[in-house]
Structures are given as structure tokens and as C-alpha cells.
Amino acid sequence: MEQDRLTLHGDGISATIVGQGAELVSLRDVEGTELLWQAGPAWRRQSPILFPIVGRLKDDQLSHGGQNYPMTQHGFARDRRFAWAEQGPSSCTLVLTDDAGTRAHYPFPFRLAVSYNLAPRQLGVTFEVTNTGDEVLPASVGAHPAFNWLLLPELAKEAYRLTFADDEPAPIRRLKDGLLLPAPQPTPISGKTLTLAEKLFDDDAVILDRPASASVRYAAERGPAIEMSWQGFNELGIWSKPGGAPFLCIEPWHGTASPIDFDGEFADKPGVMLIPPGAKRTLSYQIGLG
């Protein structure tokens, strides 16, 4: 019987992936330190894949061709079992394609392939979205890896910071009831540095809808460090559960939650990819271990 859990081994890194949601469920460094949040009462997920939407739609309804389809937050991919297309010692690919179940929520043919590949002290993740139908495919896709916060148990949460590759002076966006508020807000990032604290997330995620950087480092002055970099994504979400939780999510996105006043067709929603028939879009991110 084909296994539904695969552990990849590389130089100074190991990663475990499951077929359910094609989800990354473990990421360990050369010392065996677990860097990924291991799920629990605060949040039952670890690194869900967001597809075909990122965030919420207004009234949890996807509108297409004059019809509404029920679609819950972040889409259905995270709750579907992917098929294993390739399994190797240091890489794997999992695939989700449309079926009657997906079309009840999202009336489009598609193929979503998720590949994991280990390089020395680095995990690469690639999303390939293919339009297998004969009309334009509107879609969003996002990553949602949750890292342990703290990476070193004896430190305080406030010892950790995110350091961006470039200065990030642009305003941020915030959510209300899961939908995007219209007014930008002043950024909490000072230059390249975001000092982390639980209160940052009192108003839900910190959303950079036009980040200058394509990488960010998550670390304290000592202990493990994580470097995230991405290609093809337009936005970045940073999230921990309001009220305090032992994880920090760093989330490259293509698309965001619906603007609070948006009532239009899904294809007209800001941030959605429009993929022509037969075409595909490739997006990727890397988690490097410092």
C-alpha cells in the first residue's frame, strides 16, 4: 500500500509530508530540532496549502457566471487528499485535480501540483497550477507554514524579529471578520526589522500587500534561524493567533481575502491569477535553516 507519509532526508535537514492536504508536518535541522509547529489546541494545522482562494470571500460565496458556490476560508485544498505523483529520498510531488466534489465549490477544471525538494539546509516548495479547462481559470494560491515561536525554549517571544531583505516602508493591510479593510495602516516594520510580540496580532494578520522584499529572516540573537524566500507571490501574510500562541506563520500569497466591500465575480477579485486555457503558473518558496 502506498504510504501517506514521507520523510525526506537531505544535508542538514529533514522534512515530512503527508498526502492529506499535501501538508508539510515536520521540519528538522541537523541536530534534530523540530522547527515546525506540531499542531495542538491553539491551531490544529501546521503548513496548509491555500487554494483556490487565500483568506475569506464575502459571505463565504464564490460568484461565477451569475451563480454562487460555497467556499470556506482558504479554500479546499488543505482538506483534500492529494495523490502521490513522485516519491524520492529527497524530493516528492503530490497532485490534486478537480472532481465532482471540488466542482460543487469551484466550477473549474484544474491541476495543482505541489513539489518538495531538499537542498543543503534548505527545503524548496513549488506550486504549479495548470488550467486543464477551456475557459480562463481564476485562482489564488498561498503558503501557510507555522514555525515554533520560540525556536529556543529559554528565550522570550520578544527576543525574536523578522528582518527583511529590503526596507519595508509601505503601509500594511488588516482584516475585519476575515475580510480586507479598505484603509491601509502604518507599518509596524522599522526599516527592515519587525520586532515580534503577541500584541502585533490582536487585529489578526499583518498583511504586506506590496512587499519590497522577496525574503525575510526569522531569528533571535542566538539559536536556530529561518530564512524564507519566495518567487511569484505578490503578498506576504504574517500571523499568529490573537491572544497568544506558540507559533508564527510566514505566508507568501498570490491573492488576499476579499475587500470588505467587494461583491463581484471571483475572476474580478483583486489579486486573483487569471490562467488561460492550457497554461500554467509556477510559484515557489524556500525555507533555509540558519
Side-chain angles (χ1 to χ4, degrees), residues 57-71 103-108 262-266:
L57 302 178
K58 192 171 184 180
D59 300 322
D60 295 323
Q61 297 287 315
L62 184 149
S63 178
H64 175 68
Q67 294 190 49
N68 287 331
Y69 299 83
M71 177 72 76
R103 289 191 292 271
H105 302 277
Y106 181 63
F108 303 98
F262 179 78
D263 286 313
E265 293 267 305
F266 180 62

Side-chain angles (χ1 to χ4, degrees), residues 150-156 159-161 217-225:
L150 315 155
L151 294 174
L152 204 60
E154 63 266 26
L155 297 180
Y160 284 85
R161 64 186 61 87
R217 180 178 172 86
Y218 166 49
E221 291 294 339
R222 58 190 176 90

Side-chain angles (χ1 to χ4, degrees), residues 104-241:
H105 302 277
Y106 181 63
F108 303 98
F110 70 88
R111 180 182 188 271
L112 171 62
V114 182
S115 297
Y116 294 90
N117 184 70
L118 293 184
R121 299 186 65 78
Q122 180 176 280
L123 171 66
V125 186
T126 301
F127 301 119
E128 186 180 87
V129 184
T130 304
N131 182 353
T132 57
D134 54 10
E135 64 174 316
V136 169
L137 176 68
S140 282
V141 65
H144 202 314
F147 302 104
N148 285 324
W149 183 24
L150 315 155
L151 294 174
L152 204 60
E154 63 266 26
L155 297 180
K157 281 188 169 184
E158 290 75 14
Y160 284 85
R161 64 186 61 87
L162 294 180
T163 306
F164 292 86
D166 299 296
D167 287 346
E168 295 289 350
I172 63 163
R173 305 298 296 273
R174 288 286 199 176
L175 303 170
K176 181 175 176 57
D177 300 324
L179 300 176
L180 199 65
L181 287 168
Q185 298 190 14
T187 181
I189 303 168
S190 176
K192 299 178 181 180
T193 303
L194 176 61
T195 301
L196 295 171
E198 288 181 353
K199 68 179 186 300
L200 262 180
F201 307 106
D202 287 349
D203 296 320
D204 211 316
V206 173
I207 299 170
L208 283 67
D209 64 342
R210 42 193 176 120
S213 304
S215 66
V216 66
R217 180 178 172 86
Y218 166 49
E221 291 294 339
R222 58 190 176 90
I226 289 168
E227 179 112 11
M228 286 271 293
S229 56
W230 53 89
Q231 300 81 36
F233 295 97
N234 291 346
E235 297 89 13
L236 185 72
I238 304 161
W239 179 73
S240 189
K241 191 171 182 180

